[in-house]
Amino acid sequence: MRKIFRLGLLATIVGGTLGSGTLQASSQDLELTIMAPAGAGGGWDSASRSMQDAMMASGNAKSVQVVNVPGAGGTVGLAQFVGSADGNPNQLLVAGITLVGASISNQSPVDLTQVTPIARLTGDPLVIVVPKDSPIRSIDDLLATIKKDVATTIWVGGSAGGADHILAALVTKAAGADPSKINYVAYSGGGESLAAMLGGQATAGVSGYGEWEGQIKSGDLRALAISYPEPIEGIEARPLKAQGLDIELVNWRGIFAAPGVEGDDLDKLKSAVEKTVKSAEWKAILKARGWTDYYAPSDEFKAFIGSETERVKTILTSIGLAN
Amino acid sequence: MDIFSFLIDGFALAIQPANLVYAAIGVLIGTSVGVLPGIGPALTVALLLPVTFKLDPGGSIIMFAGIYYGGMYGGSTTAILLNTPGESASVVTALEGNKMARAGRGGPALATAAIGSFVAALIATAGLAILAPFLVKIAVKFGPWDYFGLMLIAFVTVSATFGSSPLRGLTSLAFGLWLGLMGLDQLTGQARLTFGVPELLDGVEVTTLAVGLFAIGEAFFVASRHLFKPEKPIPVKGSIWMTREDWKRSWKPWFRGTVIGFPIGALPAGGAEIPTFLSYTIERKLSRKPEEFGRGAIEGVAGPEAANNASAAGTLVPLLTLGLPTSATAAVMLAGFQQYNIQPGPLLFTQHADLVWGLVASLFIANVMLLVLNLPLVGMWVKLLKIPLPWLYAGILVFASMGTIAANPSVTELLLLTGFGVVGFVMRRYDYPIAPAVVGLILGPLADSALRRSLQMSLGDPMILLQHPSSAIMIGIALVALVAPFVFRGLAKFRQDED
Amino acid sequence: MTQKTLRIPNRPTGVIAVVLFVIGFITYWDASHMKMRATYGMSASAASYFVAILFVALAIGHLISAFKPSDIEAENADWMAAGWIGLALAGLIGSIWLGGGFILGSTLLFALTARAFGRKALLVDLCLGAFIGVVVFLIFNKLLTLALPQGPIERLF
């Protein structure tokens, strides 16, 4: 009796560490921990907490906890996730395209191909803008300007090696200029780079569409194109693809399970996430936050991660941020 | 001017009894979460934002304003009482505030911080209503070269915190600059001084350094002297309220702090730290009792606290007029607006004028509420210092490390905190001033990226710094401020020789 | 020992001079190994070189003042007490590193720091520390949903 009690206690303690996966009958009993590899308040954190709310409100998990592990564009959190959650079916990770780039440019020993993709969740378009009194009126004008003198074409956007930088490099390359010669001035966030755009210190700027939406609508910035493959309702600027450039880049976020999670455990997570994403609660969150739905199920997402990693690596190498 | 009619409507909304209750609740929980170390105003608002969603939009904006001001005030409370600044903007407050608390004048220190914040917020909010459209036009014209000029001025003023020896002061500053190098360079993504440790790629947190040097270094130092020079239990001298003398010495710093804080806060990359340094320096220069600085001068609390709050109101200028979040707190506020379906930006004032002015009125109300609720609490806070020394310091260490753990639960961060504690101990023991190290960490990276952004935009031509009149003037001011003391000293000497 | 102190009147300053030299050298070495170059303007290494030179200059300044008589008298220090605080912090870090959790760590930190200030009632302090730890944990974890490091004690809640 005593021994059983002790075993039970041990199981509780171990269960707390490793999760009590084997004991679960249905997905409604899931007790999950989502790691946001960023500080509280940021993009991945709000995605994690939104997922937490939606999963619990839609009844697809019993309890969900969010843990923040900030550091180095998410690579610190990813390394910890790969190391400590291995095979644990109760641990999830929220991450996005920035982490793909950060893993490469920080020469991190881990990357997103080592974890188990569950679903791609959201994907926000980037936008390319010029100041309102700029002589550049179209994406073709911008390409011509770049071609004429790549050095004096000053780009502003988010951190070096991030999605904004990658898009600027892709456009520079498409203009026929050497992407390693791009004059990209990195700022810490959409706010500071927006000030540089409004102050007329730059030729062109890149940011998430949502961050600069107000200025675009008021006419203080002229949007030339968005990087989303298809037109988006409510956004006037047309996709690069529709303007003859074969460029698409989406600031996506997805959810992952630990390495080595497979079989029933994996199926349970997949179905819980899928049901959540299709729930009214999740739709309401997307609307409130202004996120664009970019759902893709596990298998499609897995292939996507592979191709995205390759693509980002090529671009970062071409601008000298990776070797 | 329909600004004022909107403002009156806003007040009519904010002053309803139910909304006053929401404001009071917001201030109370904001203060109580804000005093937790490591949780600055930004995180306080982020954590408590969901609480406000449950109310109607009017009530929730008001509660939100209360939480915001409560969180701001809570941060300076820990800086004054426990020497653990909750955010980088209260570092300067800790300098003199904690010295005052140690001398038994924690009550007046807290009071002057609270009233100074109130005055500053009041004036700055009024400034927001009147000057916002004008200020913002100047603010966006501020290029990297101008920021570099501003940083140079800030650097020169740091010498005010150097203490007795320029060599030791410069060493402390250099230590801060060195820590500022650590991490990924923002412009090129190059890692500096990270030695292959991924946790160092984000650089050193200002609060980790400040808490390590201030709180933990202090604990080491006091413990090491305990046998020989036992620290006396902290007395509460005289009234816990401000005396007539305190009022006389506080009111000018409040106004000066406001005048410095508001415009710099309105700059997209101005921040709240630089105005607090500038205000500290100016008060030190203007004080009739400069010898009290470093030992608990009330001007050194009144001015920087006012500057801090005024700059917080200043960040609302680009936020409301451009939708530009220029500080962590502003970014969280932006998220708050979006929850109320307000899209900040150039159209906000025209499309949602009622809500904007409702918010401004709420900020006023919350500000008054903060003063009304917290002044009586000053007496309670001061009693905290009556805890027996062993428990007081044990408590400070637990709180200090807890803040670090809450912000980033990593062993590396704790090791850094401990390491800074040891460095702080050595610095105290050999009479190195502490504040320049924190200043170096804050300003170093800012000056570095401002200079390099300028040179990147000019394709390497350094003349860009002088071609813009604004930056040329600021660089000139910095040069004059640097050279003038030497010239005056030389002149004085020259005159003496003549006599 | 006395002979050496005779030759360098201000030994701590001399030691600090050496430390500054070393930091300056490390910074220089780090900067000389940077690979990423800015295409336009200054590279990230420029600031590193600047700080390295500053450190060397300060080291020389310290060296000079090390040969002058000291202007500050270092006080006697109770190294035992400082050691207790070191141990207290080590207790916290160790507890979190080894998975002992936040509450255990804070308990150790609290009790050992109180010991550093001369309190002998270790058991009382341990209880008090544990109480504070539990309260803080509950506030952060339950009220604010900020996850603090978990160990066996935390999982009981």
Side-chain angles (χ1 to χ4, degrees):
Chain A
M1 192 63 208
R2 203 170 194 173
K3 200 171 174 189
I4 294 175
F5 172 72
R6 236 193 251 158
L7 267 180
L9 191 68
L10 193 70
T12 336
I13 294 172
V14 172
T17 343
L18 303 177
S20 40
T22 47
L23 300 172
Q24 282 151 7
S26 74
S27 72
Q28 277 79 8
D29 303 337
L30 284 173
E31 292 183 19
L32 301 170
T33 302
I34 301 180
M35 178 193 283
W44 291 339
D45 177 62
S46 48
S48 304
R49 287 179 197 270
S50 304
M51 201 63 204
Q52 170 189 34
D53 291 345
M55 284 188 102
M56 279 159 69
S58 62
N60 284 304
K62 194 170 139 214
S63 78
V64 182
Q65 216 186 358
V66 174
V67 181
N68 297 95
V69 184
T75 50
V76 171
L78 179 63
Q80 188 176 323
F81 188 73
V82 169
S84 68
D86 197 4
N88 182 341
N90 286 355
Q91 299 266 0
L92 295 172
L93 173 86
V94 165
I97 187 170
T98 324
L99 186 45
V100 175
S103 302
I104 297 167
S105 52
N106 296 349
Q107 294 165 1
S108 164
V110 290
D111 65 31
L112 280 178
T113 57
Q114 282 160 270
V115 291
T116 314
I118 298 286
R120 194 175 65 195
L121 300 172
T122 63
D124 297 328
L126 302 181
V127 66
I128 300 172
V129 303
V130 293
K132 68 172 172 203
D133 35 15
S134 164
I136 298 168
R137 307 208 65 87
S138 69
I139 198 80
D140 290 329
D141 290 351
L142 180 62
L143 294 180
T145 312
I146 296 169
K147 195 159 176 55
K148 209 168 114 213
D149 191 351
V150 64
T152 53
T153 308
I154 296 168
W155 291 85
V156 296
S159 59
D164 300 352
H165 196 174
I166 291 172
L167 181 60
L170 286 172
V171 172
T172 304
K173 203 170 154 195
D178 178 358
S180 72
K181 288 277 177 288
I182 184 174
N183 194 348
Y184 180 87
V185 185
Y187 283 87
S188 58
E192 276 183 55
S193 56
L194 175 55
M197 278 312 292
L198 295 174
Q201 293 140 22
T203 317
V206 183
S207 172
Y209 183 83
E211 287 182 78
W212 290 1
E213 190 179 9
Q215 278 66 36
I216 294 168
K217 291 219 161 122
S218 73
D220 288 307
L221 296 176
R222 186 183 304 131
L224 299 181
I226 55 169
S227 62
Y228 207 75
E230 293 112 36
I232 296 177
E233 209 188 303
I235 298 182
E236 213 175 292
R238 288 185 302 144
L240 285 165
K241 278 212 161 153
Q243 305 188 49
L245 271 80
D246 189 22
I247 297 171
E248 67 168 275
L249 191 74
V250 177
N251 185 8
W252 52 265
R253 300 187 188 109
I255 190 159
F256 301 82
V261 175
E262 44 201 23
D264 282 353
D265 290 336
L266 184 59
D267 289 341
K268 218 176 286 167
L269 287 173
K270 279 186 198 167
S271 87
V273 169
E274 190 181 343
K275 278 187 214 149
T276 308
V277 171
K278 303 218 159 119
S279 69
E281 286 86 353
W282 181 249
K283 299 255 152 69
I285 289 173
L286 288 182
K287 195 160 184 286
R289 297 262 181 186
W291 291 337
T292 314
D293 187 20
Y294 201 44
Y295 174 73
S298 179
D299 295 331
E300 192 187 328
F301 188 33
K302 189 173 178 148
F304 178 75
I305 293 286
S307 65
E308 200 74 345
T309 306
E310 276 313 304
R311 190 162 81 108
V312 170
K313 190 177 263 171
T314 317
I315 306 162
L316 289 180
T317 310
S318 77
I319 49 181
L321 280 168
N323 36 35
Chain B
M1 293 283 274
D2 39 71
I3 285 179
F4 290 100
S5 66
F6 276 125
L7 198 54
I8 288 164
D9 286 348
F11 273 112
L13 174 76
I15 211 143
Q16 286 164 15
N19 288 341
L20 285 180
V21 173
Y22 290 144
I25 297 173
V27 166
L28 271 185
I29 53 179
T31 313
S32 31
V33 175
V35 287
L36 296 175
I39 303 195
L43 198 50
T44 306
V45 176
L47 289 171
L48 295 177
L49 205 54
V51 179
T52 66
F53 296 162
K54 296 176 177 100
L55 309 172
D56 64 285
S60 66
I61 290 185
I62 285 160
M63 190 188 254
F64 175 83
I67 291 171
Y68 173 65
Y69 274 124
M72 293 267 299
Y73 179 69
S76 53
T77 306
T78 50
I80 291 171
L81 293 178
L82 305 178
N83 212 4
T84 47
E87 35 139 13
S88 48
S90 3
V91 166
V92 178
T93 309
L95 285 183
E96 299 299 323
N98 190 251
K99 290 278 158 46
M100 284 183 71
R102 292 295 156 104
R105 299 191 5 93
L110 286 172
T112 199
I115 303 172
S117 305
F118 171 76
V119 171
L122 213 62
I123 299 173
T125 317
L128 170 71
I130 300 159
L131 294 176
F134 163 73
L135 258 181
V136 79
K137 282 205 185 87
I138 304 175
V140 293
K141 289 276 176 238
F142 234 67
W145 35 86
D146 299 313
Y147 283 109
F148 183 68
L150 185 63
M151 300 305 152
L152 280 189
I153 295 179
F155 263 121
V156 174
T157 62
V158 177
S159 55
T161 55
F162 273 5
S164 54
S165 151
L167 179 66
R168 289 196 286 269
L170 265 179
T171 307
S172 176
L173 179 68
F175 176 61
L177 291 177
W178 185 71
L179 292 176
L181 290 176
M182 272 188 191
L184 282 184
D185 164 48
Q186 210 183 49
L187 271 81
T188 57
Q190 167 71 50
R192 291 190 286 206
L193 293 171
T194 53
F195 313 109
V197 180
E199 279 85 355
L200 289 180
L201 286 174
D202 281 344
V204 177
E205 278 292 328
V206 174
T207 43
T208 307
L209 178 71
V211 170
L213 289 181
F214 285 35
I216 297 186
E218 174 96 7
F220 269 116
F221 187 59
V222 175
S224 79
R225 312 206 300 176
H226 197 58
L227 268 188
F228 307 101
K229 282 188 186 167
E231 185 112 329
K232 288 174 224 74
I234 296 161
V236 176
K237 261 194 276 176
S239 165
I240 62 161
W241 301 113
M242 289 167 69
T243 61
R244 180 182 280 274
E245 162 89 5
D246 290 335
W247 280 96
K248 241 172 84 186
R249 289 174 60 182
S250 288
W251 73 270
K252 280 186 199 153
W254 292 337
F255 284 104
R256 284 193 288 257
T258 310
V259 171
I260 297 166
F262 181 63
I264 297 185
L267 291 178
E273 297 90 0
I274 294 171
T276 60
F277 295 134
L278 290 176
S279 163
Y280 182 83
T281 312
I282 289 177
E283 294 315 328
R284 195 189 162 103
K285 286 261 153 67
L286 294 178
S287 171
R288 276 184 292 132
K289 294 184 174 171
E291 71 281 356
E292 270 191 29
F293 271 77
R295 274 184 247 135
I298 195 165
E299 295 95 332
V301 181
E305 265 303 299
N308 179 8
N309 268 48
S311 83
T315 57
L316 290 178
V317 171
L319 181 68
L320 294 180
T321 52
L322 298 176
L324 239 179
T326 54
S327 70
T329 317
V332 179
M333 291 187 98
L334 187 67
F337 290 151
Q338 281 160 349
Q339 296 289 349
Y340 313 131
N341 264 330
I342 310 172
Q343 185 63 49
L347 303 178
L348 182 66
F349 270 82
T350 45
Q351 284 179 352
H352 292 285
D354 48 339
L355 276 170
V356 175
W357 297 110
L359 176 80
V360 172
S362 309
L363 288 172
F364 269 112
I365 300 284
N367 208 2
V368 176
M369 198 62 86
L370 181 78
L371 202 62
V372 172
L373 288 177
N374 278 311
L375 278 183
L377 288 179
V378 165
M380 189 198 86
W381 287 125
V382 174
K383 287 219 181 68
L384 259 187
L385 294 176
K386 287 198 171 162
I387 296 172
L389 270 192
W391 283 352
L392 181 64
Y393 276 99
I396 290 177
L397 283 203
V398 169
F399 270 70
S401 57
M402 175 180 104
T404 305
I405 297 172
N408 184 0
S410 91
V411 173
T412 318
E413 203 71 19
L414 282 175
L415 285 173
L416 279 178
L417 185 74
T418 307
F420 294 146
V422 173
V423 173
F425 171 52
V426 172
M427 288 171 81
R428 263 164 233 270
R429 200 168 148 74
Y430 297 107
D431 200 28
Y432 285 81
I434 307 264
V438 182
V439 177
L441 176 60
I442 294 172
L443 292 183
L446 289 175
D448 180 26
S449 36
L451 176 60
R452 284 169 49 217
R453 277 198 192 108
S454 312
L455 292 179
Q456 195 181 343
M457 287 182 178
S458 71
L459 306 183
D461 179 9
M463 287 311 287
I464 190 166
L465 297 171
L466 301 177
Q467 277 158 0
H468 292 88
S470 45
S471 64
I473 290 169
M474 279 190 280
I475 291 170
I477 293 174
L479 267 181
V480 168
L482 185 69
V483 177
F486 295 102
V487 174
F488 282 129
R489 218 176 298 159
L491 273 181
K493 227 181 201 171
F494 184 68
R495 279 203 201 109
Q496 269 177 0
D497 292 347
E498 291 250 287
D499 286 343
Chain C
M1 173 137 170
T2 39
Q3 278 200 328
K4 266 190 185 161
T5 31
L6 274 183
R7 234 179 290 154
I8 302 179
N10 194 347
R11 240 171 48 132
T13 310
V15 173
I16 290 173
V18 173
V19 172
L20 294 176
F21 259 125
V22 171
I23 295 180
F25 177 75
I26 291 174
T27 312
Y28 183 86
W29 172 84
D30 183 73
S32 64
H33 280 72
M34 289 181 189
K35 289 206 194 84
M36 284 171 200
R37 300 258 146 249
T39 320
Y40 306 99
M42 269 158 49
S43 290
S45 54
S48 292
Y49 285 125
F50 172 76
V51 172
I53 292 167
L54 183 62
F55 266 92
V56 171
L58 289 168
I60 293 170
H62 273 76
L63 211 56
I64 292 169
S65 69
F67 285 98
K68 288 185 199 155
S70 170
D71 51 342
I72 26 159
E73 207 60 48
E75 300 154 344
N76 284 331
D78 174 8
W79 294 108
M80 275 288 284
W84 276 111
I85 292 192
L87 202 65
L89 288 163
L92 172 75
I93 296 171
S95 169
I96 286 175
W97 200 334
L98 304 174
F102 171 78
I103 296 177
L104 181 65
S106 312
T107 308
L108 288 175
L109 178 63
F110 186 89
L112 295 178
T113 309
R115 176 71 187 75
F117 284 86
R119 266 184 67 88
K120 295 273 157 58
L122 199 62
L123 202 64
V124 177
D125 291 347
L126 280 173
C127 293
L128 193 61
F131 175 73
I132 295 174
V134 170
V135 170
V136 165
F137 175 77
L138 289 180
I139 292 178
F140 273 73
N141 236 41
K142 305 288 168 191
L143 242 56
L144 302 176
T145 64
L146 277 180
L148 292 171
Q150 306 226 341
I153 307 176
E154 283 81 359
R155 296 205 186 90
L156 299 177
F157 294 100

